[in-house]
């Protein structure tokens, strides 16, 4: 992906293509660094496990989904300089802006937004969803910008690459396109022409083209999660192209798996009164902050409401006792519901069921304690719509890399890359 974006960036003749290719290249570099960091952490964990170190946590909280949407960054233009619109549209000083979002080894970028002095807010309509996020997540939001210029063909292209590119764009019009690119390349080629004709120039880490600069950044954690629109502070870079206020607004929501998935279920006995003979067979389902009690397993799978709902939260106390005159252990649950103290007594049909439920309950309490207020109510998360960049399925740079999926390039760039590499394979 990185090699393809670099080659296309050096050959772009359209402003939009060059901006998208440069953005894709920056995103690819960030993903490579994130994957290398993840690999290093995995190796460290494996080493500690082999050494029997106690630093490795045995109990881990459940993961969940994290979604950020409605991202807005207000601008602070000076009235005398920007809103009089003197000089016409050509002097609006446009720049391309996008956000890069890091959460662990998951990195996504927003769509490009063209910004000029007529805008008072930079609005990103993207809804970005992160999967398998732990409660200790650190979501980094970085704002990048690049100045928009008409002439982006300032690099150099070797004749061999130009011939392949011209062929991939069509046999008939290839000569005209190749001649135009050769002319543009010769203007920016400062090396020896004789040397340039022998082989293509090496792939540079930062090819010629649009350069994105970091304008501002911030880090969001579980403390910033709220099921509503909220403002967060931004740390501004040393040189800022845009007049930023120093904050951003977004909706950051989290959905732990323990709140939306069934944790455990099974047959139980519930005692309603102090009378030891007053037991009733029920079917219990633990999900979120409630233990739902149904008359049968069939009722739990239907739309029938539960006969009883026991609140399970961080303040709930659970203990096991065998003092009851029964042949099995019982489970005492003390909890609060709407300010009222409530107690329940549950029993299991087999000792292994008691152990299984207790282990699941302790893990559930641990999940709730780590996810904190995210477990109070189930926050709604909508699956983001498929972005335009995801429509092209595969690009095959070489026969050894078949099946490579490019997911962060625009449709137009992916199509150009696919055609380019297919024609190169035919020529060879």
């Amino acid at each position: 992906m990185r090699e393809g974006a670099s080659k296309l960036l050096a050959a772009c003749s359209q402003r939009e293509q060059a901006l998208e290719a440069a953005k894709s290249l920056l995103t690819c570099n960030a993903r490579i660094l994130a994957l290398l960091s993840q690999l290093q952490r995995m190796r460290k964990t494996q080493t500690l496990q082999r050494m029997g170190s106690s630093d490795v946590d045995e109990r881990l909280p459940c993961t969940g989904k994290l979604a950020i949407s409605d991202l807005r960054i207000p601008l602070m233009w000076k009235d005398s300089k920007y809103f009089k619109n003197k000089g016409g549209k050509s002097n609006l000083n446009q720049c391309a802006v996008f956000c890069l979002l890091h959460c662990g080894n998951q990195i996504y970028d927003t769509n490009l937004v063209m910004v000029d002095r007529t805008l008072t807010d930079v609005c990103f309509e993207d809804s970005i969803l992160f999967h398998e996020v732990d409660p200790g997540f650190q979501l980094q939001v970085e704002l990048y910008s690049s100045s928009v210029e008409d002439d982006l063909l300032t690099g150099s292209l070797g004749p061999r690459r130009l011939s392949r590119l011209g062929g991939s764009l069509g046999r008939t019009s290839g000569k005209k396109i190749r001649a135009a690119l050769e002319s543009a390349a010769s203007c920016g080629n400062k090396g020896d022409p004789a040397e340039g004709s022998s082989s293509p120039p090496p792939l540079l880490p930062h090819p010629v083209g649009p350069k994105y600069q970091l304008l501002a950044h911030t880090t969001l954690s579980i403390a910033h999660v709220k099921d509503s629109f909220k403002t967060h502070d931004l740390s501004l870079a040393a040189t800022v192209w845009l007049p930023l206020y120093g904050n951003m607004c977004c909706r950051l929501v989290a959905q732990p798996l323990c709140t939306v998935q069934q944790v455990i279920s099974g047959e139980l006995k519930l005692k309603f009164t102090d009378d030891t003979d007053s037991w009733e067979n029920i079917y219990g389902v633990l999900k979120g902050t409630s233990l739902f009690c149904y008359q049968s397993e069939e009722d739990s799978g239907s739309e029938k409401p539960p006969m009883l709902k026991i609140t399970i939260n961080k303040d709930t106390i659970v203990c096991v006792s065998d003092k009851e005159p029964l042949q099995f252990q019982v489970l005492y649950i003390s909890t609060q519901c709407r300010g009222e103290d409530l107690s329940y007594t549950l029993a299991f049909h087999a000792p292994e069921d008691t152990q299984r439920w207790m282990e699941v309950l302790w893990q559930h309490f641990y999940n709730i304690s780590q996810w904190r207020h995210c477990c109070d109510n189930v926050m709604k998360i909508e699956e983001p719509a498929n972005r335009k960049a995801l429509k092209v399925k595969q690009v095959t740079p070489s026969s050894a890399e078949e099946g490579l999926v490019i997911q962060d390039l625009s449709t137009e760039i992916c199509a150009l890359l696919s055609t380019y590499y297919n024609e190169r394979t035919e020529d060879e």
Side-chain angles (χ1 to χ4, degrees):
M1 290 170 58
R2 186 185 186 281
E3 180 184 0
S6 301
K7 291 181 178 180
L8 184 61
L9 179 59
C12 280
S13 60
Q14 299 294 326
R15 182 185 67 179
E16 292 76 10
Q17 291 180 358
L19 290 172
E20 285 287 350
K23 180 170 77 78
S24 299
L25 182 59
L26 191 151
T27 305
C28 287
N29 290 335
R31 285 174 176 166
I32 291 173
L33 293 176
L35 291 173
L36 289 175
S37 299
Q38 183 192 22
L39 179 61
Q40 186 177 9
R41 290 192 297 268
M42 292 172 60
R43 289 177 175 175
K44 181 180 179 181
T45 302
Q46 292 174 356
T47 302
L48 293 175
Q49 289 177 346
R50 287 196 299 266
M51 297 175 60
S53 175
S54 59
D55 295 338
V56 181
D57 296 333
E58 295 182 358
R59 187 186 295 272
L60 297 175
C62 70
T63 59
K65 294 181 180 180
L66 182 70
I68 183 171
S69 60
D70 302 323
L71 188 58
R72 303 286 186 271
I73 299 178
L75 302 177
M76 186 174 54
W77 298 107
K78 295 180 180 178
D79 294 347
S80 60
K81 183 177 181 181
Y82 295 100
F83 281 113
K84 288 185 178 180
N85 289 334
K86 292 183 178 180
K89 185 177 180 180
S90 60
N91 294 326
L92 291 181
N93 298 323
Q94 275 192 335
C95 61
V97 178
F98 77 98
C99 280
L100 196 65
L101 299 103
H102 307 243
C103 189
N105 65 324
Q106 302 180 61
I107 297 179
Y108 296 97
D109 56 348
T110 64
N111 290 324
L112 275 179
V113 176
M114 306 305 296
V115 179
D116 55 40
R117 69 170 180 256
T118 62
L119 297 181
T120 58
D121 296 270
V122 182
C123 302
F124 299 98
E125 303 300 332
D126 307 75
S127 178
I128 297 178
L129 179 62
F130 299 90
H131 296 271
E132 298 183 359
V133 177
D134 61 75
F137 68 87
Q138 296 288 319
L139 175 59
Q140 301 178 24
V141 182
E142 298 176 347
L143 177 66
Y144 287 90
S145 174
S146 176
S147 177
V148 176
E149 299 177 359
D150 292 335
D151 185 12
L152 296 174
L153 292 174
T154 57
S156 61
L157 294 174
R160 185 175 176 221
R161 190 187 299 178
L162 287 172
S163 64
R164 290 176 178 173
L165 182 61
S168 66
L169 295 177
R171 302 293 184 181
T172 304
S173 60
K175 293 182 179 181
K176 295 181 181 180
I177 297 174
R178 184 164 59 251
L181 291 176
E182 286 175 345
S183 175
S186 62
C187 296
N189 190 2
K190 304 224 173 139
D192 189 353
E195 294 179 359
S197 60
S198 60
S199 61
L203 181 62
L204 300 177
H206 300 284
V208 176
K211 298 297 190 299
Y212 286 98
Q213 293 188 1
L214 178 64
L215 297 187
H217 62 89
T218 187
T219 302
L220 306 178
S221 62
I222 191 173
H224 300 96
V225 173
K226 189 177 182 180
D227 197 5
S228 62
F229 204 60
K230 190 176 180 182
T231 302
H232 309 280
D233 294 332
L234 277 177
S235 299
L236 304 182
T239 57
V240 178
W241 294 12
L242 294 176
L244 303 176
Y245 266 113
N247 53 47
M248 74 171 192
C249 305
C250 67
R251 179 177 180 265
L252 182 66
V253 296
Q255 195 179 83
L257 292 181
C258 62
T259 62
V260 295
Q261 293 184 356
Q262 179 177 299
V263 180
I264 190 175
S265 62
E267 295 182 355
L268 307 171
K269 288 181 176 291
L270 175 64
K271 187 171 72 170
F272 289 94
T273 65
D274 293 335
D275 186 1
T276 56
D277 295 331
S278 179
W279 292 88
E280 183 173 344
N281 292 324
I282 63 170
Y283 189 83
V285 176
L286 178 62
K287 180 180 179 181
T289 57
S290 299
L291 174 60
F292 300 95
C293 301
Y294 298 90
Q295 291 184 345
S296 64
E297 183 177 358
E298 289 74 17
D299 292 344
S300 65
S302 63
E303 297 182 356
K304 290 184 179 180
M307 55 181 296
L308 178 65
K309 185 171 70 172
I310 302 175
T311 301
I312 303 292
N313 53 34
K314 60 181 180 180
D315 299 322
T316 301
I317 299 176
V318 178
C319 61
V320 178
S321 175
D322 53 3
K323 293 183 180 180
E324 291 285 341
L326 299 171
Q327 300 298 323
F328 39 77
Q329 292 179 317
V330 296
L331 190 68
Y332 294 102
I333 299 179
S334 177
T335 185
Q336 286 188 348
C337 182
R338 299 176 182 177
E340 182 182 359
D341 294 332
L342 300 174
S343 298
Y344 304 92
T345 304
L346 301 175
F348 303 90
H349 295 279
E352 54 269 20
D353 293 338
T354 306
Q355 183 66 25
R356 182 170 61 94
W357 273 79
M358 282 301 302
E359 291 178 355
V360 171
L361 282 171
W362 289 126
Q363 179 64 46
H364 193 60
F365 290 143
Y366 182 71
N367 295 337
I368 293 176
S369 66
Q370 296 300 304
W371 281 102
R372 297 185 285 179
H373 62 283
C374 300
C375 294
D376 294 341
N377 298 292
V378 179
M379 302 181 186
K380 184 178 179 181
I381 292 181
E382 296 181 359
E383 292 291 335
N386 293 330
R387 293 175 57 180
K388 186 178 180 180
L390 303 181
K391 291 183 179 179
V392 176
K393 297 298 182 181
Q394 293 184 347
V395 175
T396 56
S398 65
S399 58
E401 296 178 349
E402 292 184 356
L404 177 62
V405 178
I406 292 185
Q407 295 184 343
D408 63 332
L409 301 178
S410 67
T411 303
E412 185 177 8
I413 291 178
C414 286
L416 286 173
L417 278 174
S418 179
T419 307
Y420 171 74
Y421 286 116
N422 290 336
E423 282 296 330
R424 190 183 72 174
T425 304
E426 294 177 2
D427 293 341
E428 293 178 351

